[in-house]
Amino acid sequence: MDELQKKISSLDNSRMPVHVAMIMDGNGRWAKKQGFARSDGHAEGVSTVHRVTKLSSDLGIKYLTLYAFSTENWNRPADEVDTLMYLIGWAIERELPELLENNVRIHLLGDIDRIPEDARKRLLYAREATSHCTGLQLNMCLSYSARWEIAEAARRIARKAVAGELDPDSISEQMVADNLTTAGIPDPDLLIRTGGEERISNYLLWQIAYSELYFTPVLWPDFSDEEYVDAIIDYQNRERRFGKTSEQVQNNE
Ligand code: FPP
């Protein structure tokens, strides 16, 4: 048995994260280290997306949410934005047969209308083509930022209040959650950020209230299956208290 298989078999199946979210950072630095253009780093990053999707599916994880392009990423140089959009459209089309084979359902989170038409069409096609799949749900955050999504939810709820369809006093946390792009998706159990920075960068701010955070210096293109399993092992060794005491958690109160 190789190292990876040994680690996988050491996992506690009763404590697998249901939802893993990832911030895929470090493509640019990876490329620079190799003397390549930043876009080559993004292209290499697609291979990691392929691997983490496959491994998540094999491990029985139900939701994998990837921060593929943030609202703020629109401010990058135009040629880098174009490359990323091209890569995303190209990758989703290329991966579609294998996604279907693995029963993976594509879900899109973010301001999808801002995505250039060519990439958008491929993404919408993949979402439609995989809509019957019942295995891993792969949530791709595109033109996404948490503050954008929370403001969107506020606008939606306010419109209903103004139309007299709801009483402002009845606005609950559940109602806010139901108006986010992640409505119906359980909150992430584990958030992994590669690339060495220890920040959240406007990602899933509402949803990660009780997520376990895992930061690794490994750059996204180098993030291996073994490192992914290490993050899950680390997660399984943590005690999730959700505001309770350790004693309460241990007594299942
Ligand atoms: C951050 O690295 C990464 C991104 C902004 C884009 C992530 C996109 C991919 C991995 C490819 C496409 C994805 C899919 C879902 C098919 P960075 O450029 O900020 O790296 P740096 O911090 O080293 O500069």
Side-chain angles (χ1 to χ4, degrees), residues 24-29 38 42 46 68 73 76 88 91 140 220:
M24 311 182 284
D25 197 15
N27 294 343
R29 276 164 289 158
R38 290 181 59 82
H42 296 312
V46 174
N73 286 153
R76 291 201 172 190
I88 289 166
M140 291 180 50
W220 179 253

Side-chain angles (χ1 to χ4, degrees), residues 52-252:
V52 297
T53 303
K54 180 74 172 67
L55 185 54
S56 302
S57 167
D58 290 348
L59 293 176
I61 288 164
K62 288 303 294 175
Y63 302 89
L64 174 66
T65 303
L66 301 178
Y67 207 3
F69 193 87
S70 72
T71 307
E72 291 74 24
N73 286 153
W74 290 115
N75 299 322
R76 291 201 172 190
D79 61 338
E80 186 172 339
V81 171
D82 290 349
T83 303
L84 271 167
M85 289 299 144
Y86 171 78
L87 265 178
I88 289 166
W90 166 83
I92 199 75
E93 189 172 280
R94 189 192 63 172
E95 297 295 326
L96 188 54
E98 198 174 326
L99 291 169
L100 285 164
E101 203 174 296
N102 288 308
N103 198 21
V104 177
R105 181 178 180 182
I106 294 287
H107 188 67
L108 307 173
L109 305 179
D111 194 0
I112 304 304
D113 292 344
R114 278 188 81 179
I115 303 295
E117 194 183 354
D118 188 60
R120 193 174 64 236
K121 275 188 179 160
R122 292 166 201 244
L123 288 160
L124 295 176
Y125 181 79
R127 182 174 70 180
E128 180 58 34
T130 60
S131 59
H132 65 283
C133 294
T134 54
L136 173 73
Q137 178 168 315
L138 175 59
N139 302 314
M140 291 180 50
C141 297
L142 292 156
S143 192
Y144 171 90
S145 85
R147 288 181 176 181
W148 164 82
E149 127 177 286
I150 292 168
E152 270 289 302
R155 284 187 282 271
R156 284 216 243 165
I157 294 170
R159 274 188 223 110
K160 286 185 202 150
V162 168
E165 289 165 23
L166 77 88
D167 171 3
D169 288 332
S170 72
I171 298 171
S172 60
E173 291 184 11
Q174 188 59 48
M175 191 184 292
V176 176
D178 289 343
N179 280 279
L180 298 173
T181 58
T182 49
I185 301 172
D187 289 341
D189 300 294
L190 170 64
L191 168 65
I192 299 173
R193 180 175 185 142
T194 63
E197 314 289 356
E198 301 196 352
R199 56 178 169 251
I200 302 300
S201 302
N202 211 354
Y203 190 42
L204 302 171
L205 293 178
W206 176 279
Q207 298 88 338
I208 60 165
Y210 284 102
S211 303
E212 296 297 328
L213 309 181
Y214 184 90
F215 299 102
T216 167
V218 176
L219 305 174
W220 179 253
D222 290 331
F223 186 63
S224 65
D225 288 358
E226 236 182 287
E227 270 136 7
Y228 185 9
V229 177
D230 284 342
I232 299 175
I233 292 171
D234 189 272
Y235 163 84
Q236 293 192 332
N237 287 325
R238 297 189 194 185
E239 180 181 65
R240 302 190 73 195
R241 291 198 288 275
F242 299 96
K244 294 185 180 175
T245 66
S246 188
E247 290 70 23
Q248 284 177 304
V249 173
Q250 275 155 29
N251 296 333
N252 253 333

Side-chain angles (χ1 to χ4, degrees), residues 10-27:
S10 78
L11 289 170
D12 176 351
N13 284 331
S14 68
R15 298 191 64 189
M16 284 300 282
V18 172
H19 183 174
V20 178
M22 296 193 183
I23 301 179
M24 311 182 284
D25 197 15
N27 294 343

